[in-house]
Amino acid sequence: MENQQIKQAGLKVTAPRVKILGILEHSGKRHLSAEDVYKELLSQDEEIGLATVYRVLTQFEGAGLVCRRHFEGGQSVFELNSGSHHDHLVCIKCGKIVEFVDSLIEDRQIAIAAEHGFRIEDHSLVVYGLCAGCQNAR
Amino acid sequence: MENQQIKQAGLKVTAPRVKILGILEHSGKRHLSAEDVYKELLSQDEEIGLATVYRVLTQFEGAGLVCRRHFEGGQSVFELNSGSHHDHLVCIKCGKIVEFVDSLIEDRQIAIAAEHGFRIEDHSLVVYGLCAGCQNAR
DNA sequence: GGGGAAACTGAAAATCTTTCGCATCTTGCT
DNA sequence: AGCAAGATGCGAAAGATTTTCAGTTTCCCC
Ligand SMILES: [Mn+2]
Ligand SMILES: [Mn+2]
Ligand SMILES: [Zn+2]
Ligand SMILES: [Zn+2]
């Protein structure tokens, strides 16, 4: 369970960490802001401060347990590290998020970086638009 | 000169606007943060407040004169709108920025959005890595 | 099963970037 | 020149995240 992952990450197993990891795993949404996690904790009557949520999420990120995403506007969102990279399609109206992977795009990025002598460390591709539902809402 | 562009944007021609547009046009760097612009103004002994710099840059953005980019870390950066879209390769060590356009990637994005019923409004692709120079610095 | 050093936590204060409120100037037009 | 709309500069405010710090907890070792 969660305890193992936390331990393997080199972190002590504490109530806040177990709770937060649990929320990331079983809360319906895959992409949560620190605030989202905090509210979920509150709704479960957990006495955990927002600063701790940020701290823990950052530690989880450092340990490779979660990925932090910076979409436009406001807060960063966190998601469990699925192990495989993917990019995002975000609806600017309702916030719906669709994940996708495209090897053609990935390959082109590598080629382009190489053309310019860069060694890729990471990349961020986010496509913003209106989802099907939001296009039909007049 | 600058005055025309500002006027055509529907904005009054004021000293701060002319100065800021001038800095964006002739300051060596293509990508500047509001703070960068502010410092440049200070070094030219201009009495312009940081709030005005942000305000003006935001107005320029609204008028289509400049584009605002949100790279990782801290501040947004602004660049003159070249008229044509492009993406960025950013060195995480020295901050060097290389611009590129890849129609294959653009096309795939459109196809992917379509597959998911999205109508694209915008997108952001940033590839982070080490530039040639920074790779050889041990 | 304790003892204790190291790690962790909540709450408040601090940072950092960007935006607001507002009294005071400027610009653009007659 | 005279005026109304629009701009500016300043300080305060806001929003997100981080840091500080004193009290607590975990977990390694005997
Ligand atoms: Mn995702
Ligand atoms: Mn650019
Ligand atoms: Zn939508
Ligand atoms: Zn570099």
Side-chain angles (χ1 to χ4, degrees), chain A residues 12 14 16-17 47-48 52 55:
Chain A
K12 287 188 177 174
T14 64
R17 288 174 181 161
E47 299 273 316
I48 296 177
T52 297
R55 219 165 11 213

Side-chain angles (χ1 to χ4, degrees), chain A residues 91 94 96 131 134:
Chain A
C91 177
C94 70
K96 177 178 177 184
C131 72
C134 290

Side-chain angles (χ1 to χ4, degrees), chain B residues 12-13 50-51 54-55 58 75-76:
Chain B
K12 286 187 179 177
V13 177
L50 180 56
Y54 274 105
R55 224 170 0 215
T58 300
Q75 301 134 281
S76 297

Side-chain angles (χ1 to χ4, degrees), chain A residues 60-122:
Chain A
F60 283 180
E61 181 189 20
L65 286 178
V66 309
C67 292
R68 183 194 304 246
R69 313 284 181 188
H70 306 91
F71 296 154
E72 300 273 324
Q75 299 132 283
S76 297
V77 298
F78 300 81
E79 67 177 309
L80 282 176
N81 183 351
S82 59
S84 59
H85 162 79
H86 61 262
D87 294 304
H88 302 84
L89 208 45
V90 179
C91 177
I92 55 181
K93 188 163 176 194
C94 70
K96 177 178 177 184
I97 297 176
V98 174
E99 305 185 329
F100 69 87
V101 184
D102 188 86
S103 57
L104 208 43
I105 290 179
E106 300 293 325
D107 290 346
R108 284 302 298 146
Q109 286 179 38
I110 294 170
I112 292 164
E115 281 169 27
H116 296 283
F118 272 64
R119 178 196 301 155
I120 295 184
E121 286 292 320
D122 192 13

